[in-house]
Amino acid sequence: MNKVRTRFAPSPTGYLHIGGLRTALYGYLFAKKQGGDFVLRIEDTDTNRYVDGSVQIIYDTMRDSGIMYDEGPDVGGNYGPYIQSERKALYMEYAKKLIELGGAYYCFCSPERVASLKDEEGNVRYDKHCLNLSKEEIQAKLDAGEPFVIRQNVPLTGTGTYTDLVYGEIAVDYKDIEDGILIKSDGMPTYNFANVIDDHLMGITHVIRGIEYLSSTPKYNLMYDAFGWDRPTYIHLPPIMKDSQHKLSKRNGDASYEDFVKKGFVKESIVNYIALLGWNPKNNTEKMSLKELTDNFSLEGINKSPSIFDETKMKWLSGEYIKEMNFDSFKSLAMPFIKESKAFGKYDTDKLLNLVKNRVQIFSEIPSKIDFLEEFGEFDVNLFVNDKQKSSVELAKSVIPNIIDELSKINDWSNQNLFDSLVNLSAKLEIKKQALLWIARIAITAKEATAGGATEIAELIGKDETIKRLNFSLNLIK
Ligand code: GLU
């Protein structure tokens, strides 16, 4: 069997959106699992949709996400060039061959004539007018330099069939396919032609792409057949939806890989999550590294039905990656985000990071988790009331002086020491330990909910500040 070769063929039209990256990922996983090659090809023949800088975004995103290609414009390979605009002459050469084979023909009709060919529904459909030109007429027009396009010659009858590995048997009647343009008047190929020529010349064995190409594939097959080339195996992927009604799309400004990285998602969690959008591993594991995804990947696991992009689930996965990260990795990734907090620079950075490490799912949540440290001030004393913990304003009033006494005696100001002494104090006062810890935490933070318990926070803000805050809070009750 031939070596498996897959490709990712994005058009450089802006950011690399989640759907595009999933197509790339599946192509990568499938090739790597089979020990094959994964190719990047830039499809830039539609100059109207070209966005400056987006080729670089594609290179950067793929490297950054780890979905790295073996061949491509910036890494080379034996099947280049890998940018379609650099292959222009090649397409013309093959288009002429296809004309000789009867699979295509020159069309000299003016855009006005083509536009006038409306059917009852107002759809324009070319009427094969130029198919009837004689060889001599065609040559005369070419010699006179008349502008032309090259169109595919689709049979009027019959049905094109093939087996898609996800969607099964596909059949499209040729009468429903128009003689589409293969080479435009500027000499550039359309996607409909270039994808066939390139997939063949680049030795692509498995074409993995979005479902939007499922029903145009029979017309590509006509060309493979006309040239006498083997058709590739097709794997079309289900759409990714924003909700049950709307597709996720970069045209709607839906988030790209880059946006999610900026939002503070762990990169591996983005790749991990998009792998699950349309594919389930047999063992139902959810958290998988790129290596594990590769080992588990199989075409049988690809679903036919659309999948809904669930940012909450991706956040959860990101949080799982953060929990498993060692402190140093966490620190280096979290630094740009923690700098946004009011508390940054006021307390020991490592301690701040420890406080939040297992309490955030994405890095951008860090500032809001620790800003409270800098927001201490007057508060509603009813915060001391907590029926579940058996705490009340009265109890706070009576025990805060004891807490102050107890903590004032402590020199080794560590979370563990502070915790032990408060637990001892609660036993001595014969009150619930939870009640005492609740009161202490409210008194030093003025917040109902905080990242970290009383003694963790006390350690962080230091002894003087802790005692100062306890006194302040006691005064509020008096
Ligand atoms: N350039 C096409 C796109 O971005 C690629 C489709 C394909 O993979 O064949 O949609």
Side-chain angles (χ1 to χ4, degrees), residues 7 9-11 43 191 208-209 213:
R7 86 306 192 268
S11 301
E43 301 206 327
Y191 166 78
I208 301 179
R209 65 184 163 208
Y213 299 98

Side-chain angles (χ1 to χ4, degrees), residues 113-127 176 178:
R113 175 171 189 279
V114 176
S116 72
L117 298 171
K118 286 205 179 89
D119 63 13
E120 303 90 69
E121 277 114 47
N123 298 320
V124 175
R125 194 177 161 149
Y126 188 65
D127 60 356
D176 297 329
E178 94 151 325

Side-chain angles (χ1 to χ4, degrees), residues 7-11 23 41 43 49 191 195 199 207-210 212-213:
R7 86 306 192 268
F8 176 48
S11 301
T23 304
R41 177 172 79 225
E43 301 206 327
R49 288 177 63 218
Y191 166 78
N195 90 85
D199 285 339
V207 167
I208 301 179
R209 65 184 163 208
E212 57 274 28
Y213 299 98

Side-chain angles (χ1 to χ4, degrees), residues 79-209:
Y79 298 79
Y82 294 91
I83 298 192
Q84 287 187 328
S85 57
E86 294 172 14
R87 301 168 66 81
K88 197 172 161 187
L90 211 73
Y91 303 120
M92 190 55 100
E93 183 190 321
Y94 279 94
K96 286 181 179 164
K97 272 191 199 160
L98 194 58
I99 292 175
E100 279 167 30
L101 293 166
Y105 59 94
Y106 288 103
C107 171
F108 299 93
C109 290
S110 65
E112 293 73 29
R113 175 171 189 279
V114 176
S116 72
L117 298 171
K118 286 205 179 89
D119 63 13
E120 303 90 69
E121 277 114 47
N123 298 320
V124 175
R125 194 177 161 149
Y126 188 65
D127 60 356
K128 286 186 184 279
H129 176 80
C130 287
L131 187 60
N132 303 317
L133 295 175
S134 68
K135 263 206 154 91
E136 295 69 34
E137 282 171 311
I138 294 168
Q139 200 50 54
K141 284 177 186 290
L142 291 175
D143 291 344
E146 270 194 43
F148 66 85
V149 298
I150 295 176
R151 288 184 183 271
Q152 185 174 6
N153 183 17
V154 180
L156 291 167
T157 56
T159 305
T161 57
Y162 73 102
T163 308
D164 180 86
L165 291 195
V166 174
Y167 290 92
E169 294 303 308
I170 304 297
V172 178
D173 290 339
Y174 293 136
K175 69 172 171 40
D176 297 329
I177 304 177
E178 94 151 325
D179 284 1
I181 294 176
L182 304 180
I183 301 282
K184 296 179 277 187
S185 55
D186 63 1
M188 275 291 203
T190 55
Y191 166 78
N192 290 332
F193 189 53
N195 90 85
V196 172
I197 303 306
D198 288 348
D199 285 339
H200 172 71
L201 294 181
M202 294 182 178
I204 301 304
T205 57
H206 295 75
V207 167
I208 301 179
R209 65 184 163 208

Side-chain angles (χ1 to χ4, degrees), residues 212-262:
E212 57 274 28
Y213 299 98
L214 187 72
S215 58
S216 20
T217 295
K219 70 185 175 202
Y220 310 145
N221 286 335
L222 280 173
M223 292 187 254
Y224 282 99
D225 298 351
F227 281 118
W229 296 340
D230 285 344
R231 298 176 183 183
T233 299
Y234 295 105
I235 297 144
H236 288 94
L237 304 178
I240 303 177
M241 311 291 287
K242 185 154 75 185
D243 51 48
S244 60
Q245 306 297 323
H246 305 94
K247 266 186 80 170
L248 196 72
S249 103
K250 75 175 151 183
R251 289 192 193 160
N252 299 334
D254 289 327
S256 63
Y257 171 84
E258 193 165 304
D259 293 329
F260 286 117
V261 173
K262 280 197 197 121

